[in-house]
Amino acid sequence: MKNFTTDELNRLNPYLAYKLLSGSVIPRPIAWVTTQSPDGIVNAAPFSFFNVVSSQPPLVSISMLGQKDSVNNLLATKEAVIHFVSPDNVEAMNMTAASLPRQMSETDTFGIPTEPSRTVSVPSIIDAPIRFEAKLFKHIPIESNGYVVSNLMLLEITNFAFSGAVFDAEKFYVKPDAFQPIARLAGNTYAELGDLFELERPQ
């Protein structure tokens, strides 16, 4: 068993801890997030440090490394839309990981069509099978050596939107085989949904 203490990693390179985390905690869902600056520029960016926090109220968490446009926009407007990634939109999602100047919109630059959302002013990406419109519930800055290195955003869902292809309205559940979610691994590696199996929970 190979062990690494955080002190050892920090003496080498803090980025090594990121590599161990992102390579071990897999697969991770991808939050493809649109935000909007106060002057109306729409930003789109993917984040894979993303998960569910609570169902009542409906909360999700997204950890945003660094002081990205998404962070600044969320803190300014308190609104976002989270889109889920499928084989149909994974290429477009990957393009929005590029570093663009603040005044450039990823949706405009890469020709990603959007439409108005129902409960927030931030536009939604049309080609996403699942969307969560959300408002900022809590911002937790994560500091190291006196610097903010990450921003933990707790977002409260204000509207759940599902395409008819992935949602069974009669049974009220999301169909994973139709959804075909794309997951993040490490580096440039992604994964599709593999074989499904069921286990009965013990009484």
Side-chain angles (χ1 to χ4, degrees), residues 35-39 41 43 47 64-79 102 136 139 148 151 153:
T35 57
Q36 189 167 255
S37 69
D39 52 358
I41 298 173
N43 175 267
F47 299 91
M64 299 179 172
L65 303 179
Q67 198 70 20
K68 298 184 177 181
D69 292 342
S70 300
V71 174
N72 296 326
N73 293 347
L74 254 176
L75 294 178
T77 69
K78 309 292 191 292
E79 294 184 340
R102 182 182 299 269
L136 183 63
H139 167 228
V148 175
N151 293 273
M153 302 294 194

Side-chain angles (χ1 to χ4, degrees), residues 176-177 193-198:
D177 53 340
L193 195 65
D195 294 334
L196 304 183
F197 63 94
E198 295 186 10

Side-chain angles (χ1 to χ4, degrees), residues 1-190:
M1 182 70 71
K2 183 64 175 176
N3 297 284
F4 299 96
T5 68
T6 53
D7 287 340
E8 290 170 336
L9 292 173
N10 288 336
R11 281 197 298 271
L12 295 171
N13 183 339
Y15 178 66
L16 296 177
Y18 170 82
K19 290 185 68 175
L20 296 180
L21 285 167
S22 63
S24 302
V25 185
I26 57 174
R28 299 187 307 279
I30 302 167
W32 192 18
V33 181
T34 51
T35 57
Q36 189 167 255
S37 69
D39 52 358
I41 298 173
V42 178
N43 175 267
F47 299 91
S48 68
F49 281 22
F50 163 55
N51 220 315
V52 177
V53 174
S54 166
S55 60
Q56 191 63 34
L59 297 177
V60 297
S61 66
I62 304 176
S63 180
M64 299 179 172
L65 303 179
Q67 198 70 20
K68 298 184 177 181
D69 292 342
S70 300
V71 174
N72 296 326
N73 293 347
L74 254 176
L75 294 178
T77 69
K78 309 292 191 292
E79 294 184 340
V81 183
I82 301 165
H83 309 80
F84 288 73
V85 180
S86 70
D88 292 335
N89 60 26
V90 66
E91 294 289 345
M93 176 279 297
N94 187 52
M95 289 190 294
T96 64
S99 297
L100 298 183
R102 182 182 299 269
Q103 67 274 15
M104 291 181 65
S105 164
E106 286 81 3
T107 54
D108 290 344
T109 300
F110 301 117
I112 299 170
T114 63
E115 64 184 4
S117 301
R118 295 190 62 180
T119 59
V120 296
S121 59
V122 181
S124 291
I125 294 171
I126 292 174
D127 189 20
I130 300 174
R131 314 172 194 167
F132 291 173
E133 297 173 19
K135 296 191 175 181
L136 183 63
F137 181 82
K138 190 170 186 179
H139 167 228
I140 305 171
I142 309 299
E143 295 188 1
S144 177
N145 299 319
Y147 296 95
V148 175
V149 294
S150 179
N151 293 273
L152 179 60
M153 302 294 194
L154 300 184
L155 302 176
E156 183 170 3
I157 311 306
T158 57
N159 184 55
F160 296 85
F162 301 91
S163 75
V166 305
F167 185 69
D168 187 322
E170 183 178 341
K171 296 181 179 178
F172 206 83
Y173 85 108
V174 177
K175 298 182 284 187
D177 53 340
F179 173 21
Q180 294 184 292
I182 298 293
R184 190 78 164 89
L185 301 183
N188 294 323
T189 308
Y190 294 80

